Structures are given as C-alpha cells and as structure tokens.
Amino acid sequence: FTSKILTTITNSIFQTSNMKFLNPQIEEDIANKKLIALHLGSGTDNHKDMYNLDLIGCDGVDIVANLNEPLDLLPDNSVSYVYSNQTLEHIEKLFDLFGELHRVCADGSILEMQVPHFANPYYYSDPTHVRFFGLYSMHYFTDQKYQWGRKVPSYYGETKFILSDAQYVFYRDTVFDHIAGRPISYLVNCSRLTQIIYERRFCWLFSPSSIKFTLTVSKHS
C-alpha cells in the first residue's frame, strides 16, 4: 500500500506538464516586453537576479515547470539569459528542451550550463542521472562551422546555437585537490588543443567534476 502511494506521488511529480508562475512579477515583465533571466533546476539554490525554475515549488522558486515538457507559458523571444548547474543530466528529452530554449530566448541571448563530465566518479552514484557530458556534447547543438577539433553531425536537432566556450571545472574537496587543481585547471583550459588532448588521454588520471558550456542563441545562423 505504501509503495503504491509513493509511486502515485512520484508519477504526479515527474509526469506533470503543468507550468505555473508563482511570482506575479513574471507576468508583468512579459506583458511589458521586458526580457527575463532564468535559473533552470534551481531547487533551493535561488538566485535573486533571475527567476528560479524548478520541478517542485520549494521556497524561492518563481516558476514550476517540468523541463521535459514545453515551456508553454513563456512567449517567443522573452528570455535574455539562461543559467543551469547540474540540471541537464536529469533531462530525458534534451533536444526538446534545447528547442524550447531556442524558441523562448531572444537573438543573442546567453546560456551558461554546467554539467557533470563523464569522468566524474560521483556521477554514477546518482540514480536520477540519465546522461553525462564531454567536450563535444554541445557540438550536436551547433553548426559545424562553430565546432572545434572533432566534427560531429548537427542534424539531430533543427535549432542551432553558437558554442562560445567550454571550460573544465575541477573538484576542491581535498588538500590534494586544492594544491593540484588550480595548476591543472590552468594547463587543461589554456587552449582548445590542451582540452582535446586532456579529454582524449588524461581525464581518467585527474578527473574533472564538471564542464561548463557557454552558448549564444542565434536566430539567423
């Protein structure tokens, strides 16, 4: 009986397609054509300089939405900036989400997204993770003319972004991390070539925690 109740609650959380504005200021901004900034998957890590969006309406959340479903309350070209940290690895319909982000973002908007790298040993412990990321993951969302190093197909999704930057992020958990992390981070991220060599040959020796991508929305490319 208890397991049935838990299953019902879980399904109601993860299968809902209802989007709600908990902060009335959002509707006012949209009505006044003011571009907004979004923090996707905020949880309790709220940012006051943007609207916090999460699946559950906990304290500080401004928008309740399932990122596997359309962001149907947000009009086209109504967003200027999107931030997420450790959220995309939970999204099953990633191409659909990027399609929605491209739709709601104005031309030239910036997306900053930090995600777990595939060499992160802690990634595999979380049963809610459905994907991990590597240096070339965002190449699949951009035209080949904006890709560096290894070229990949870009025909999986219709919407395209400009990949502006990618940076490895390293742990600072231990004394060794603090001592070695900073110089290794500098050496790895000093150029695209060193990033490519690192991921190809050395990422399992000193693994990164995450990789941070910066994308620019282009409505004309």
Side-chain angles (χ1 to χ4, degrees):
F1 178 75
T2 303
S3 63
K4 289 184 178 180
I5 293 176
L6 291 175
T7 300
T8 301
I9 293 173
T10 301
N11 288 341
S12 67
I13 292 174
F14 286 97
Q15 293 180 6
T16 180
S17 60
N18 295 325
M19 185 177 182
K20 296 180 181 179
F21 290 156
L22 303 182
N23 186 339
Q25 183 63 43
I26 303 171
E27 293 181 272
E28 184 176 334
D29 286 347
I30 291 174
N32 292 328
K33 307 297 183 182
K34 180 181 178 181
L35 296 180
I36 65 175
L38 295 177
H39 177 194
L40 303 184
S42 62
T44 57
D45 181 26
N46 308 130
H47 290 200
K48 294 183 179 180
D49 56 343
M50 61 189 79
Y51 289 122
N52 300 286
L53 182 154
D54 199 78
L55 185 63
I56 301 174
C58 47
D59 290 345
V61 169
D62 302 293
I63 304 171
V64 173
N66 185 340
L67 293 176
N68 285 305
E69 302 292 339
L71 303 174
D72 47 15
L73 291 185
L74 294 176
D76 296 357
N77 305 307
S78 60
V79 175
S80 62
Y81 175 76
V82 177
Y83 169 81
S84 73
N85 186 7
Q86 313 304 322
T87 298
L88 298 186
E89 65 272 21
H90 301 278
I91 305 303
E92 294 180 353
K93 300 179 180 179
L94 192 63
F95 279 95
D96 291 346
L97 173 59
F98 270 82
E100 277 295 276
L101 293 177
H102 193 276
R103 177 186 67 80
V104 303
C105 284
D107 187 48
S109 297
I110 301 298
L111 283 68
E112 291 188 329
M113 299 182 167
Q114 188 164 319
V115 291
H117 188 265
F118 64 79
N120 181 342
Y122 298 140
Y123 167 86
Y124 304 93
S125 298
D126 192 334
T128 66
H129 288 173
V130 298
R131 69 180 74 250
F132 42 74
F133 298 82
L135 182 63
Y136 302 105
S137 292
M138 292 301 143
H139 280 197
Y140 293 89
F141 298 94
T142 189
D143 192 271
Q144 286 194 346
K145 64 184 177 181
Y146 299 117
Q147 297 177 15
W148 56 72
R150 178 173 175 263
K151 303 294 183 179
V152 304
S154 60
Y155 49 68
Y156 294 107
E158 294 182 0
T159 52
K160 298 290 187 291
F161 299 82
I162 297 173
L163 180 55
S164 305
D165 195 19
Q167 295 287 310
Y168 289 103
V169 180
F170 293 86
Y171 279 114
R172 296 288 191 269
D173 290 348
T174 67
V175 173
F176 178 76
D177 290 338
H178 280 279
I179 295 173
R182 190 178 298 276
I184 289 177
S185 177
Y186 174 78
L187 290 173
V188 168
N189 289 313
C190 69
S191 72
R192 293 287 171 240
L193 178 60
T194 55
Q195 288 180 328
I196 291 169
I197 294 172
Y198 166 75
E199 181 160 291
R200 174 76 171 169
R201 302 295 181 188
F202 302 108
C203 68
W204 295 107
L205 297 178
F206 191 87
S207 61
S209 64
S210 310
I211 186 165
K212 183 178 180 180
F213 295 105
T214 303
L215 304 170
T216 303
V217 175
S218 175
K219 300 285 179 113
H220 309 294
S221 61

